Amino acid sequence: MGVWRRSGTRLYEHALFERGRGIGAGLILNGELFRGNRGFAGEVGHTTLETNGRPCSCGGRGCWEQYASEKAVAGELGLDYAPGITETLLHRLHDGDADTIAAMSRAGGYLGIGVGNMMHTLNPQMIVIGNAMSQFSPWLGESLQQSLESRFSYLTSFRVQVDYSRLGEDSCALGAVSSVIRAKMTLQ
């Protein structure tokens, strides 16, 4: 939501993917946040990528967030997902740690699969990858793009822009604050 409010461009159909512990989406439809029935829209991290895949906290198996989230990368590297993990991963990436670079690249490939699936489902103008994982774009971008091109080569006809938020981990908080302010202003 913070990305949508700060973009300066009025986008009417797009998805904001927040990646960290899991993967969630803010779906902007007709210029408004789509909340779905009872406010649970956007739980895209629980869409299945691997039929008999890794167990997920939702009770399912093979959920997208088990392969493409910051928590998944940390787990693959044997690191605890705890405060400071973003900085730890960034430090390892900047130092050229081969295992961390490979894990991030694999996550980017899975991210591309899920993003392609969302392009099919929603056909948005733009997809923005935000939250902590947006800071890893130099290590995610190439594998995400390769995944999209190899599996969804015709998606260029969709004309969907994939971008990374520059708001970092503050994007959720900024979006929440702007929603409250917008609601207050609408009521007056």
Side-chain angles (χ1 to χ4, degrees), residues 50-73:
E50 299 283 347
T51 310
N52 296 307
R54 299 173 187 162
C56 184
S57 61
C58 74
R61 296 188 73 81
C63 293
W64 187 17
E65 67 184 42
Q66 295 301 310
Y67 299 90
S69 65
E70 184 180 45
K71 183 177 181 182
V73 171

Side-chain angles (χ1 to χ4, degrees), residues 93-132:
L93 289 164
H94 284 293
D95 283 350
D97 180 77
D99 291 338
T100 307
I101 291 169
M104 198 61 70
S105 180
R106 279 188 292 280
Y110 278 111
L111 181 61
I113 294 169
V115 165
N117 289 340
M118 294 302 115
M119 287 177 171
H120 280 284
T121 304
L122 302 170
N123 189 25
Q125 287 173 283
M126 175 183 274
I127 290 180
V128 179
I129 300 175
N131 213 343

Side-chain angles (χ1 to χ4, degrees), residues 19 104-105 107-109 111 129 133-134 136-145 164:
R19 297 180 58 225
M104 198 61 70
S105 180
L111 181 61
I129 300 175
M133 289 298 275
S134 65
F136 304 124
S137 63
W139 299 276
L140 290 170
E142 186 176 330
S143 57
L144 183 150
Q145 201 59 41
Y164 295 89

